[in-house]
Structures are given as structure tokens and as C-alpha cells.
């Protein structure tokens, strides 16, 4: 089987084609956004294996759900919502796997982490889940508070308060206060 | 937002971008892989998993295959989920297609019957163990449509074993497996009632030029119930990558190690060794007991 390069698909990355069910167009769009998918997953999850799973499952879910994308302009937030949902799914499953409440830290430490020298990511990773997800979306690119509220299906006020809380904690962790 | 926060956020956004702008190679590789697999759908004729051998032991063998990418692409139908563990990606299909389903091969058409004497036109996982010839003798049908009695099947298996001797070791003493492999072999302390070790296999490293085998497979059978389970241990070198697919995959844990648990197998890695325990005959609960007794 020919192992095709996805570079060629980038030329075909048209959202409208994707919405019409053009499989290759969807894949091309996903490929264009793979760094975005990775960034969000990297901010929210600690384990490299979990990040891999989320990235792969995002492809599958995006293909399945492309029909639910209402307008072309929402493609990026639509895709990020899928990523966040997949991350939340993994977080929920990981929680269920923890045998005892007091073992959370030990479990987290056992995850593969090849990024030991990365300060901000480590700081974000140490935040509580809701703050971690919100601040990741905020720092990952230029997502507005409104976009984040839509993705997380919470109010803009809640986004702002989570951001404030997360910002304060990160400042403390990075020794900026 | 005050100016201090504004400045802080700008700095953090730049830092976040810097720290996450490069996707690690192995993650990128697997991502490309899933794109390719998804891309292949629709323009390829979906093949089925190659079927071979028909005894309980070889059923297990078929499920053991860790497929290379090109092969996986041919058999993937509708992947709905994937989980990864140390170089192994496990996919789950949307349609739980019967991987053994096939039309009766032409050479055997009209010559194979069910227990009631009806002609069998399609072979599947339900009827494959209950096929009979016109004389009511239990038979097996291979992919070429050759009809084999139990005795003929045993002879074929023995012949295959002899032909494979050059590349595969057949180990009959469970206490000697360690001699042939390059890692510490840990086997289950708990064996369900009625099951016993029957044989093990590994690369014939002397013939293949390796220092020792980098994997081994251990068979257990329950002669009364005809049930079997199989444990494959593979040295994880951090380079090898493979794929397979199981039904109903979920994350789990075996003795503190992340695991993938499915209806077909439990897979986990401990001390550079990947354990793949195939549990179709045992079920999940009993399978987990066996897995957790490997320490």
C-alpha cells in the first residue's frame, strides 16, 4: 500500500468540502491543526500515551461528527471542543483507575514525562483540572473568553474567574509573586 | 484585566507556544499513521484478518498478531477508539464484525454440514468448531477449502511445527523458558482450575543469529473444557511499534502498570516486558486474576 504523504492534502484543506463529507478534506484540515490539537492535549494531560490517544481519537471523532459543524468559521473551536472532550474523557477514566484517594500524587508521578525542564507546562499540569483546561485554552492561542466559554459550555464569568485563579497559581508556581 | 496580568498573559502565551510547538516524534508518527489509516478507507477493498489453523491454540495465535501498519490498514473497518501502550496501539472497531466470518470456500461447497445435516454455506465463529462431513465425522475447513478430519488436522499442525522448527523453538518444560529469552520471564502464579501449561515457543535464536529470543509465548489449556489461554511476553525496546485490534477496549491497571483491557486480551508493560494475555476462554474477571498473579 502506498503510504501517502499528508503534505499533498494540505492543498485541499477546504472546510466547505469537509462539511460536504469529503473525507480527505477533513483529514487535511485535521492535519493542518495537528499542532493545535497537540498543544491543547499537552496542556491538559500529563502522560504522553494519553496525549497520543487523544490525538488519535480526535481524528476519529472529527470524521464522525463533521456533519455537526454548523459554519465554516467555527471549525477551529469545533475541533478544539472535540479535543477537550477527549481529554476530559481520559481524565475521568484515569480518576476511576486510582485505587485510593491518597494515591493521586504517586500515580501522577508515575506517568512518563519527557518534559521535565519545561516550567510553564509543568506549572499548568499541576493545576486543578478545571483551571488547567481553561488556562490551556487561553494560552494555547488567541482563543477569546467567549470562545472558551462556548467550548467548555460555561459562562464567560466562570471562564474569567477560573482564569484569574489559574493565573495566580501559575504566578506562585513560577515564583513571580 | 490589569496591565500586569496583560503582560503576564502575553509572556505566558509566548512561552506556551515555545514549549509546545514541536510535537514529539513518536506522537507525530502515530498521528500520521491514524490519518493514513483513515484516508485508506473508502478507496480500498477492506480485507479480513487472515485466517489460518483452526484449533483452539491457533485461534489464539491469530489473535496474537501484532500487525504492521500496512496490514492493519487492510483490515481496519470503522475504528471508533484507540489506546496506546509502549509502542503498541490497540484499535476498536465500531462494528464488531465477526473476524472469522467467510463464505464456504468453493472446493468445500456442498460437502460440509452442521450437526443437523444442513449444508453450511458460511463459516463463522459460532459454527466453525461444529462442522461435519457427509458421514457425520467432525471436520475443519481451511482457507483453500480442503476438508480435514481431526486426525488430519493434528497431522498438519505437527507438520507445520516441524517446518517451523528452524525458526521457532518448541519448549515443553515450563522451567526452561528463561534459558531461551533475553529477559526475566515472570509467569502467572494463579492458573484457573483445570488449566495447565502445555507448551511454549520462542525464536530459534541460534538459527536466526540473535543472542537470544526477544519474545516467548506460553500456552495453557483445559483439556476437559477445551478452553485455552495464551500469554505472550515481548521485550520492549522502545523502537518497535505495532498495532492490533480488540473488542471493547478500555484503560485499566495491572499491579500498578497502565493496561489495556478488552474482551480479547489484557496488555500491559512491566520492566521492559510487554505482557499480552489472551483471555477469550477465561473472561475478564478470571483473566485479571491471572494477570495480577504475574509478579
Amino acid at each position: 500500500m502506498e503510504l501517502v504523504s499528508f503534505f499533498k492534502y494540505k492543498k485541499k484543506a477546504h472546510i466547505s468540502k469537509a462539511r460536504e463529507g469529503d473525507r480527505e478534506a477533513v483529514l487535511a484540515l485535521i492535519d493542518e491543526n495537528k499542532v493545535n490539537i497537540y498543544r491543547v492535549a499537552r496542556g491538559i494531560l500529563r502522560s504522553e500515551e494519553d496525549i497520543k490517544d487523544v490525538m488519535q481519537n480526535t481524528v476519529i471523532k472529527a470524521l464522525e461528527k463533521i456533519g455537526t459543524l454548523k459554519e465554516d468559521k467555527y471549525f477551529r473551536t469545533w475541533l478544539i471542543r472535540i479535543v477537550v472532550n477527549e481529554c476530559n474523557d481520559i481524565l475521568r477514566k484515569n480518576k476511576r483507575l486510582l485505587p485510593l484517594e491518597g494515591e493521586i500524587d504517586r500515580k501522577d508521578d508515575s506517568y512518563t514525562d519527557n518534559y521535565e525542564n519545561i516550567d510553564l507546562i509543568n506549572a499548568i499540569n499541576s493545576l486543578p483540572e478545571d483551571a488547567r483546561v481553561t488556562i490551556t485554552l487561553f494560552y494555547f492561542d488567541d482563543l477569546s473568553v467567549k470562545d472558551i466559554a462556548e467550548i467548555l459550555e460555561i459562562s464567560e464569568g466562570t471562564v474569567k474567574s477560573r482564569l484569574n485563579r489559574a493565573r495566580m497559581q501559575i504566578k506562585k508556581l513560577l515564583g513571580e509573586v | 484585566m490589569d496591565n500586569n496580568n496583560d503582560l503576564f498573559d502575553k509572556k505566558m502565551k509566548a512561552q506556551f507556544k515555545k514549549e509546545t510547538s514541536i510535537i514529539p516524534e513518536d506522537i507525530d508518527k502515530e498521528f500520521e499513521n491514524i490519518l493514513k489509516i483513515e484516508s485508506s478507507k473508502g478507496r480500498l477493498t477492506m480485507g479480513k484478518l487472515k485466517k489460518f489453523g483452526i484449533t483452539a491454540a491457533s485461534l489464539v495465535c491469530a489473535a496474537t498478531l501484532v500487525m504492521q501498519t500496512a496490514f492493519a490498514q487492510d483490515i481496519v473497518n470503522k475504528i471508533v477508539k484507540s489506546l496506546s501502550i509502549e509502542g503498541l496501539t490497540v484499535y476498536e472497531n465500531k462494528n464488531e464484525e465477526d473476524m472469522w466470518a467467510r463464505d464456504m470456500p468453493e472446493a468445500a461447497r456442498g460437502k460440509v454440514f452442521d450437526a443437523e445435516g444442513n449444508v453450511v454455506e458460511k463459516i463463522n465463529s459460532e459454527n466453525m468448531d461444529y462442522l461435519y462431513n457427509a458421514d457425520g465425522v467432525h471436520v475443519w475447513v481451511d482457507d483453500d477449502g480442503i476438508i480435514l478430519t481431526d486426525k488430519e488436522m493434528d497431522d498438519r499442525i505437527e507438520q507445520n511445527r516441524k517446518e517451523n522448527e528452524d525458526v521457532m523453538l518448541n519448549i515443553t518444560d515450563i522451567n526452561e523458558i528463561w534459558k531461551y529469552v533475553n529477559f526475566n520471564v515472570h509467569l502467572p502464579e494463579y492458573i484457573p482450575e483445570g488449566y495447565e501449561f502445555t507448551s511454549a515457543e520462542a525464536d530459534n535464536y541460534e538459527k536466526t543469529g540473535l543472542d537470544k529470543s526477544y519474545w516467548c509465548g506460553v500456552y495453557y489449556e483445559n483439556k476437559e473444557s477445551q478452553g485455552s489461554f495464551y500469554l505472550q511476553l515481548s521485550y520492549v525496546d522502545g523502537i518497535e511499534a505495532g498495532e492490533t485490534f480488540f473488542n471493547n477496549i478500555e484503560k485499566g491497571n495491572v499491579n500498578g502498570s497502565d493496561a489495556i483491557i478488552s474482551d480479547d486480551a489484557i496488555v500491559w508493560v512491566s520492566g521492559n516486558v510487554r505482557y499480552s494475555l489472551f483471555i477469550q476462554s477465561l473472561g475478564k474477571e478470571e483473566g485479571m486474576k491471572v494477570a495480577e498473579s504475574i509478579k
Side-chain angles (χ1 to χ4, degrees), chain B residues 25-69:
Chain B
E25 202 177 334
D26 58 330
I27 294 181
D28 196 37
K29 199 173 150 192
E30 289 195 24
F31 186 75
E32 283 283 312
N33 198 24
I34 190 84
L35 289 179
K36 285 169 190 165
I37 288 172
E38 289 298 333
S39 164
S40 72
K41 292 177 186 176
R43 64 184 172 84
L44 285 173
T45 305
M46 303 302 171
K48 286 199 168 64
L49 186 66
K50 183 172 169 55
K51 295 176 265 304
F52 56 91
I54 322 181
T55 63
S58 51
L59 272 171
V60 167
C61 277
T64 317
L65 290 174
V66 172
M67 296 164 286
Q68 296 305 308
T69 303

Side-chain angles (χ1 to χ4, degrees), chain B residues 51-105:
Chain B
K51 295 176 265 304
F52 56 91
I54 322 181
T55 63
S58 51
L59 272 171
V60 167
C61 277
T64 317
L65 290 174
V66 172
M67 296 164 286
Q68 296 305 308
T69 303
F71 187 42
Q73 284 170 340
D74 278 346
I75 69 158
V76 167
N77 184 7
K78 289 181 179 174
I79 296 171
V80 289
K81 196 173 176 185
S82 77
L83 293 173
S84 307
I85 189 165
E86 300 276 354
L88 175 70
T89 302
V90 180
Y91 297 111
E92 178 180 321
N93 278 2
K94 180 181 257 176
N95 296 333
E96 290 180 16
E97 241 184 69
D98 184 348
M99 63 192 280
W100 305 103
R102 58 186 171 135
D103 289 331
M104 181 64 72

Side-chain angles (χ1 to χ4, degrees), chain A residues 1-4 6 9 23-24 27 30-31 34-35 37-39 42-43 48-53 55-57 59-61 63-64 90 93-94 97 107 111 115 118-121 124 136 138-142 164 167 170-171 174 176, chain B residues 1 4-5 8-9 11-13 15-17 19-24 26-28 30-32 34-36 38-41 43-44 69-70 73-74 79-89 91 94 250-253 256-258:
Chain A
M1 176 184 300
E2 182 196 8
L3 296 181
V4 287
F6 268 79
Y9 289 119
R23 192 176 192 84
E24 292 191 354
L27 291 170
I30 294 169
D31 193 40
K34 75 174 173 184
V35 177
I37 298 170
Y38 169 72
R39 277 189 186 142
R42 181 71 192 97
E48 200 169 299
E49 293 298 324
D50 284 345
I51 294 168
K52 276 184 199 169
D53 291 342
M55 291 184 72
Q56 293 181 358
N57 290 336
V59 175
I60 295 162
K61 286 282 161 59
L63 282 165
E64 262 181 21
I90 295 263
K93 282 174 185 163
N94 285 345
L97 294 176
K107 171 71 185 173
Y111 282 138
Y115 312 89
I118 297 176
D119 293 336
L120 177 61
I121 287 294
I124 290 176
T136 294
F138 189 63
Y139 284 163
F140 123 85
D141 212 340
D142 285 324
N164 277 333
R167 192 184 290 114
I170 289 175
K171 279 182 179 178
L174 297 181
E176 299 228 357
Chain B
M1 185 184 296
N4 277 344
N5 283 344
F8 180 78
D9 287 342
K11 201 168 114 186
M12 290 301 108
K13 281 182 183 179
Q15 181 69 14
F16 190 83
K17 204 167 190 171
E19 291 183 9
T20 59
S21 60
I22 297 170
I23 303 177
D26 58 330
I27 294 181
D28 196 37
E30 289 195 24
F31 186 75
E32 283 283 312
I34 190 84
L35 289 179
K36 285 169 190 165
E38 289 298 333
S39 164
S40 72
K41 292 177 186 176
R43 64 184 172 84
L44 285 173
T69 303
Q73 284 170 340
D74 278 346
I79 296 171
V80 289
K81 196 173 176 185
S82 77
L83 293 173
S84 307
I85 189 165
E86 300 276 354
L88 175 70
T89 302
Y91 297 111
K94 180 181 257 176
E250 59 181 3
K251 282 181 170 255
N253 187 296
S257 301
D258 290 341

Side-chain angles (χ1 to χ4, degrees), chain B residues 213-225:
Chain B
S213 177
Y214 280 65
W215 71 278
C216 66
V218 188
Y219 291 93
Y220 296 84
E221 275 184 47
N222 182 330
K223 295 213 163 63
E224 198 179 316
S225 70

